[in-house]
Amino acid sequence: MTNKRENINIATLNLNGETWWSINRRPRLPQKLFNIQYIKKELTKSCIIRLGEILKKEDYDVIAVQELVYSKKEREKIKTAIEKIKDVNGKQLYELFLPKNLKGSVHFTVGYIAKKKLNATLNNISSENNLSNNRIAKLKFTIHDNEYSIINMHVNKHDIDIPSVNKNTILLGDMNACSEEQTTDNKAVNAGFLEKINNAGWLEVRETGQIYTWKSNGVEKKLDHIYVYRDFASHKSIENKVDSTVNFYYDKRGFTDHSMLTITLE
């Protein structure tokens, strides 16, 4: 094949599924005062509508997601809505990839929304020191005879081993970690974990100016990160941005409590 150049747009987004599940732990109140089913229904509806709006623009080739609700009913609604989206020729545009054979009581999972033209495949992987398989997965796809991989992580244990660095590989996700420079109160969170990633040979894609992806009590933090194989560092076309319109703490159209971090590679 020819060495034709093209851009690939990749994003990472936490869908707030843990909050969806945690509302079960409500105070003992009458249903008329706290209608759980109504809240869940509206959360799922909001997720489907806004994801649909984003995907119909066809801007992203892959969106790596964390905390996608794993309850069968809601999971199938989201999957069906994603896979109903058509391109200009009326063909299915995206497909949803989720890890299989998850063990135990799984409330949410990582996954990928990827364009069908990529002919992508998903691999369940596990890290050392017990990062569960609903929190890490690898997507593989090929462009012009070159194989690429994305490792998606939703980190809750920061003593885990870091995935090995390989050519044409991207590491991203909700790391639940930030350095002093990545928070408005200058208080680092699990910064040692980010240092482990850097020391393992990954290079964080830095944005122009400071961006944050999560907000609580007025404090903003960059908890979501994208890392690349160091050879990608020579690509002048690398561009890192944040979309805060998906975050309900920044925009009334938001449907999750994280902003979407995006990267464009040539």
Side-chain angles (χ1 to χ4, degrees):
M1 296 181 67
T2 62
N3 291 323
K4 177 184 176 182
R5 293 179 181 270
E6 65 179 271
N7 288 341
I8 181 167
N9 297 313
I10 298 168
T12 178
L13 176 63
N14 185 308
L15 294 176
N16 199 27
E18 186 170 13
T19 296
W20 187 98
W21 187 264
S22 68
I23 61 174
N24 287 316
R25 300 192 297 269
R26 66 181 177 89
R28 295 179 61 83
L29 295 171
Q31 279 291 97
K32 65 181 180 180
L33 297 181
F34 199 100
N35 192 326
I36 293 177
Q37 295 308 314
Y38 173 79
I39 294 172
K40 289 182 176 180
K41 180 180 178 180
E42 290 301 306
L43 286 173
T44 303
K45 178 180 176 181
S46 177
C47 179
I48 288 172
I49 291 173
R50 288 292 284 120
L51 271 180
E53 292 172 352
I54 292 168
L55 297 178
K56 286 176 182 177
K57 295 178 180 179
E58 301 187 31
D59 290 339
Y60 299 105
D61 297 282
V62 179
I63 300 179
V65 298
Q66 305 86 42
E67 287 192 34
L68 186 142
V69 174
Y70 203 68
S71 172
K72 183 177 180 180
K73 179 180 177 181
E74 282 69 29
R75 182 177 79 234
E76 288 303 313
K77 282 184 177 181
I78 294 171
K79 175 180 171 66
T80 298
I82 289 170
E83 298 185 348
K84 275 186 176 180
I85 296 172
K86 309 295 183 181
D87 63 15
V88 292
N89 298 314
K91 295 182 178 180
Q92 181 180 329
L93 186 60
Y94 289 95
E95 54 189 324
L96 177 64
F97 293 88
L98 300 177
K100 297 180 179 179
N101 303 317
L102 299 184
K103 298 179 181 179
S105 178
V106 176
H107 302 158
F108 51 83
T109 185
V110 297
Y112 294 89
I113 304 169
K115 285 186 175 177
K116 282 185 68 67
K117 70 177 184 179
L118 296 178
N119 294 315
T121 58
L122 184 138
N123 298 95
N124 281 24
I125 61 174
S126 60
S127 67
E128 299 296 327
N129 303 321
N130 302 319
L131 188 61
S132 58
N133 58 2
N134 69 314
R135 288 180 176 269
I136 183 169
K138 178 188 286 188
L139 190 79
K140 293 184 178 181
F141 55 94
T142 301
I143 299 179
H144 302 306
D145 295 336
N146 292 316
E147 185 177 271
Y148 296 85
S149 296
I150 303 173
I151 301 174
N152 181 8
M153 298 174 66
H154 178 207
V155 182
N156 65 332
K157 298 179 180 180
H158 292 87
D159 60 346
I160 61 171
D161 288 347
I162 306 301
S164 299
V165 179
N166 292 297
K167 187 175 182 180
N168 294 344
T169 302
I170 296 170
L171 174 68
L172 49 67
D174 179 3
M175 305 300 177
N176 279 308
C178 63
S179 65
E180 291 181 1
E181 296 78 21
Q182 294 172 335
T183 176
T184 55
D185 64 359
N186 297 317
K187 295 180 180 179
V189 179
N190 299 312
F193 182 72
L194 301 183
E195 292 178 9
K196 282 173 60 176
I197 296 176
N198 289 323
N199 292 338
W202 294 99
L203 181 71
E204 181 163 16
V205 180
R206 294 288 183 172
E207 59 283 346
T208 301
Q210 184 59 62
I211 63 174
Y212 306 99
T213 62
W214 188 82
K215 184 177 182 179
S216 179
N217 296 322
V219 178
E220 298 173 286
K221 303 177 187 292
K222 184 183 179 184
L223 298 182
D224 305 84
H225 302 267
I226 298 177
Y227 294 85
V228 296
Y229 173 69
R230 288 193 181 276
D231 278 7
F232 275 140
S234 62
H235 285 238
K236 294 181 180 180
S237 61
I238 286 182
E239 186 176 12
N240 195 13
K241 295 181 179 179
V242 65
D243 179 355
S244 295
T245 65
V246 300
N247 188 330
F248 50 66
Y249 282 106
Y250 292 105
D251 194 299
K252 63 181 181 180
R253 296 172 295 166
F255 63 101
T256 178
D257 61 347
H258 281 250
S259 298
M260 182 163 64
L261 195 61
T262 71
I263 182 175
T264 298
L265 293 173
E266 184 181 81

